[in-house]
Amino acid sequence: VILTLTLNAALDITYDVDALVPRSTHRVRHTRQRAGGKGVNVASVLSRLGVPVTASGFLGGRTGVDISADLDARALPQAFFRCAGESRRTVNVVSAGDGDATIFNEPGPVITNGEWSALVDGIPELFVRSRAAVLVLSGSLPPGVPEDAFARLVALARDHGVTSVVDAGGAALRQAVGAHPDVVKPNLAELEASTGQVDAVIGAQELQRWGALDVVVSCGPDGAVVLPRDGGELRARLRKPLAGNPTGAGDAMVAALAAGLDREPAARGEGVSPAPRDGRSGAWDWSTAIRNAVAWSAAAVLQPLAGDVDPDDVTRLAAEVELEQR
Amino acid sequence: VILTLTLNAALDITYDVDALVPRSTHRVRHTRQRAGGKGVNVASVLSRLGVPVTASGFLGGRTGVDISADLDARALPQAFFRCAGESRRTVNVVSAGDGDATIFNEPGPVITNGEWSALVDGIPELFVRSRAAVLVLSGSLPPGVPEDAFARLVALARDHGVTSVVDAGGAALRQAVGAHPDVVKPNLAELEASTGQVDAVIGAQELQRWGALDVVVSCGPDGAVVLPRDGGELRARLRKPLAGNPTGAGDAMVAALAAGLDREPAARGEGVSPAPRDGRSGAWDWSTAIRNAVAWSAAAVLQPLAGDVDPDDVTRLAAEVELEQR
């Protein structure tokens, strides 16, 4: 089972308008809203593809209640920790004319020391209760959470025999790799923000010097580059890049990587080909893992909302992935 | 006691951003939210000035719960009717640089025939329960409510000895005046949308030809013009117009008019000088009423949020109002 942790979960609200005109009043044509935040999107993709998952993190206030209700409505198992502050909303204004999006992100709750300690203290019990084999750490740290939060959680996971995947950038990624997470998956912008390197391979090698094991860099329409912990380099991309909505593509890639790492993948898991993994040595079948990662990510591009993929797209697109070993 | 009816109540959310840039992602610096909609703002101003009031209308869904909770938190008496649809939110994005506002209004619930009938059937009992002497009808009609809604409610009020005040524009105002509401208060734009007249006096006379009794036209920084039912014309304005936030100024003016009409004004009512009113003939002291109306409206301009006034501002500004009788 996979446990995703979203420390700054959100209620994502989408407004369709005719056109965004600053300083005017807009009639919203259509409103959609759903639980979001990167870890929640990862959980949503896994659930959609029949992979057992539990979503966790912090929730607070009335927006926290709305997020929780949406997860219930989607039958997505959840085990969140409470915070006194109000969970954030994001408002995504989409213009009918050009499909352009203008986004407003609320700041989110300030997490107290006590709330952070309660989460750290409660995670081991949650590993047991949710029978977690993989911990996914995604997204931004809310104010009040220490900068080494992901490092601390990666260490906790290892102490309990749980594999860890980190999707972060900047300082949070730099801190996390020091604790040797099993997989990190920055995108190119996050990798540059962390390492100052614009080249995926050079940046990934820098992360490995700092302690990272397997590094997967998502490169948008150019697919992904893997630098396994035991050397080598593997690239994967779609034969033809897809047009669509890139929001949530990275989350779907993380979902695929986590599904591959899960030692008990669901029988119903679509597009999941769990490769035998030789203990913690990292000697597993990266070509299958990265093929799935690129296919899930591409399937997410075809969906209007983050956290969604069509299982048929996943199956079809996996056959369209080209691999290049170096 | 005053009863305000807001058929399309809202949760008004304000986002402070550095600057609104279309097609980009904004970090919201500060979030505020409160119950809104024109009738709710009228009730809020009355409550702030110690005038007994009950807020009613339709509420539905989770946003309806949020609106209700905010009114409770402000100790504002409420008696709403339920609807199955979701009450609307409005998102008001304010740029720090220039204070300019960009507004997104959700469409609001569709009111079913059954829900509308339940409200009409329940209003007489609500008049009794809330001891209403004045009914205030403000704001837009949600989809599903018949266009003659205000006319129907004005007639109901008269049947029960309740004075009516209507703040509306366009077709809703045209329909309402046919039922002879005691006071209508369009602003210049609403008056033009209803009558096609750009001149306040000519437009007001047109409304009176259609059935309106007393007509008060709010003219922004130019104050207000009254055409009493028994003839004459009275203008009132501040000696020096104020700079500030005009949102909610019209609602504060309606609140002042309703407070003056209420036959049992609260002892604590600030700036309320109830004039003796000679039955339904309209021969009451319009100079006091319109002085208060302009003062309350100006006090609202000094507040950042609609529905708020400072009692000290009301007292101070009432002395700054100039009257002109024609």
Side-chain angles (χ1 to χ4, degrees), chain B residues 264-277:
Chain B
E264 298 168 13
R268 296 190 297 121
E270 305 261 355
V272 185
S273 307
R277 186 147 187 264

Side-chain angles (χ1 to χ4, degrees), chain B residues 2-316:
Chain B
I2 296 162
L3 179 67
T4 72
L5 204 65
T6 313
L7 298 177
N8 211 355
L11 185 69
D12 289 333
I13 301 170
T14 304
Y15 284 166
D16 293 330
V17 301
D18 290 340
L20 193 158
V21 182
R23 289 176 297 281
S24 76
T25 296
H26 301 76
R27 191 191 150 101
V28 175
R29 295 294 165 186
H30 188 235
T31 301
R32 284 162 293 174
Q33 74 183 33
R34 71 188 311 185
K38 293 177 79 168
V40 168
N41 292 340
V42 171
S44 172
V45 167
L46 288 165
S47 170
R48 186 79 178 80
L49 293 179
V51 181
V53 64
T54 296
S56 183
F58 285 117
L59 287 185
R62 302 187 157 270
T63 301
V65 172
D66 285 351
I67 292 170
S68 185
D70 180 61
L71 294 176
D72 275 348
R74 290 150 67 189
L76 218 159
Q78 54 181 305
F80 280 86
F81 295 82
R82 297 289 130 197
C83 61
E86 178 88 17
S87 289
R88 69 200 170 107
R89 291 172 291 203
T90 74
V91 174
N92 192 331
V93 179
V94 178
S95 297
D98 45 20
D100 280 342
T102 304
I103 297 170
F104 303 95
N105 290 327
E106 294 187 4
V110 177
I111 302 299
T112 66
N113 289 339
E115 288 164 348
W116 170 243
S117 300
L119 183 137
V120 171
D121 293 347
I123 283 282
E125 191 266 330
L126 183 53
F127 284 152
V128 173
R129 183 154 48 93
S130 65
R131 294 177 296 119
V134 181
L135 173 68
V136 173
L137 302 169
S138 299
S140 60
L141 303 181
V145 165
E147 211 181 53
D148 68 350
F150 283 171
R152 181 94 184 263
L153 294 165
V154 164
L156 257 181
R158 194 177 34 250
D159 291 349
H160 291 81
V162 172
T163 305
S164 56
V165 181
V166 174
D167 182 5
L173 177 58
R174 271 200 305 275
Q175 292 269 357
V177 294
H180 317 300
D182 293 88
V183 180
V184 294
K185 193 232 55 75
N187 61 31
L188 284 170
E190 289 166 337
L191 186 67
E192 186 182 353
S194 277
T195 65
Q197 301 295 340
V198 294
D199 181 85
V201 171
I202 297 172
Q205 287 168 339
E206 185 82 359
L207 290 181
Q208 286 177 330
R209 264 193 296 278
W210 297 344
L213 301 175
D214 301 324
V215 180
V216 178
V217 183
S218 57
C219 307
D222 289 329
V225 178
V226 191
L227 268 77
R229 63 187 77 179
D230 46 4
E233 175 193 334
L234 187 61
R235 286 172 185 264
R237 64 159 64 85
L238 275 194
R239 261 178 214 117
K240 269 190 262 178
L242 299 172
N245 168 26
T247 314
D251 301 331
M253 185 175 285
V254 170
L257 294 169
L261 290 165
D262 190 358
R263 287 167 192 177
E264 298 168 13
R268 296 190 297 121
E270 305 261 355
V272 185
S273 307
R277 186 147 187 264
D278 183 11
R280 304 195 67 76
S281 74
W284 73 324
D285 180 6
W286 266 113
S287 21
T288 301
I290 198 65
R291 178 185 296 280
N292 286 336
V294 170
W296 291 34
S297 175
V301 168
L302 297 177
Q303 298 296 324
L305 291 180
D308 207 2
V309 293
D310 183 324
D312 292 340
D313 288 337
V314 166
T315 308
R316 180 173 56 80

Side-chain angles (χ1 to χ4, degrees), chain A residues 175-304:
Chain A
Q175 291 269 357
V177 294
H180 318 297
D182 293 88
V183 180
V184 294
K185 195 235 50 80
N187 62 30
L188 283 171
E190 289 166 336
L191 186 66
E192 186 183 352
S194 277
T195 65
Q197 300 294 340
V198 294
D199 182 85
V201 172
I202 296 173
Q205 288 168 337
E206 185 81 359
L207 289 181
Q208 287 178 327
R209 263 193 296 279
W210 297 343
L213 300 175
D214 301 324
V215 179
V216 179
V217 182
S218 57
C219 308
D222 289 330
V225 179
V226 190
L227 268 78
R229 62 187 77 180
D230 46 4
E233 175 192 335
L234 188 60
R235 288 174 184 263
R237 65 158 63 85
L238 276 194
R239 260 175 217 119
K240 269 191 262 178
L242 299 173
N245 168 27
T247 312
D251 300 333
M253 185 175 286
V254 170
L257 294 168
L261 290 164
D262 190 358
R263 286 167 190 177
E264 298 169 14
R268 295 189 298 124
E270 304 264 352
V272 185
S273 308
R277 186 148 187 266
D278 184 9
R280 307 194 64 77
S281 74
W284 74 324
D285 179 6
W286 265 113
S287 24
T288 300
I290 198 65
R291 176 185 297 280
N292 287 335
V294 170
W296 290 35
S297 174
V301 168
L302 297 176
Q303 297 297 322

Side-chain angles (χ1 to χ4, degrees), chain A residues 131-184:
Chain A
R131 294 175 297 118
V134 181
L135 173 67
V136 174
L137 302 169
S138 299
S140 61
L141 303 181
V145 164
E147 209 180 55
D148 68 349
F150 283 171
R152 180 93 183 263
L153 294 164
V154 165
L156 257 180
R158 193 175 36 249
D159 291 350
H160 292 81
V162 172
T163 305
S164 56
V165 181
V166 175
D167 181 5
L173 176 58
R174 272 199 306 276
Q175 291 269 357
V177 294
H180 318 297
D182 293 88
V183 180
V184 294

